[in-house]
Amino acid sequence: MTVLERIKEVSKLRGYNLTKVNEMAHLGKNTIYSWKTKEPSHNNVQAVADVLGVSVDYLLGNTDEMHSNKKDDKKIADLKDIMKEFEIVQFDGKTIPEEDLLVIERIIKGLIDDQY
């Protein structure tokens, strides 16, 4: 899988299109799309990885673990652990689907980013 394909995949999971990711990473117009034929710079890949909450190694295909290197993600991971510890994995008697947990995670990450 190419860098562009991984970015598309994670962007979709996070609820973003590539144009939005490009904008959030403060890249030039259509920079991410250009990676279909060009090699991206490390700084640009890092910016996209930060926006998507994954490591550069994941985007480059060096690992299949999506974990970010950002310290704020530790707070999110802690929150997920707390939710599991207190068995907050259900709502109204039904298990919360993984995609909904990802949305909750994205909302929390946005709140953390707004505070710092």
Side-chain angles (χ1 to χ4, degrees), residues 15 30 33 38 46 68 79-80 94:
N30 296 322
Y33 290 105
K38 294 180 182 177
Q46 182 66 60
S68 172
L79 180 64
K80 285 176 140 180
K94 298 177 184 173

Side-chain angles (χ1 to χ4, degrees), residues 39-97:
E39 184 84 17
S41 74
H42 177 77
N43 289 342
N44 286 349
V45 174
Q46 182 66 60
V48 171
D50 290 346
V51 165
L52 296 176
V54 298
S55 69
V56 170
D57 281 335
Y58 178 78
L59 292 181
L60 295 176
N62 297 332
T63 182
D64 288 331
E65 294 186 31
M66 296 175 86
H67 304 297
S68 172
N69 297 329
K70 290 177 68 180
K71 65 179 181 180
D72 289 345
D73 290 339
K74 173 84 172 99
K75 295 174 188 173
I76 293 170
D78 290 344
L79 180 64
K80 285 176 140 180
D81 290 341
I82 290 168
M83 288 177 69
K84 286 179 184 174
E85 182 178 332
F86 289 97
E87 298 179 5
I88 306 173
V89 291
Q90 292 189 343
F91 179 76
D92 209 16
K94 298 177 184 173
T95 301
I96 301 171

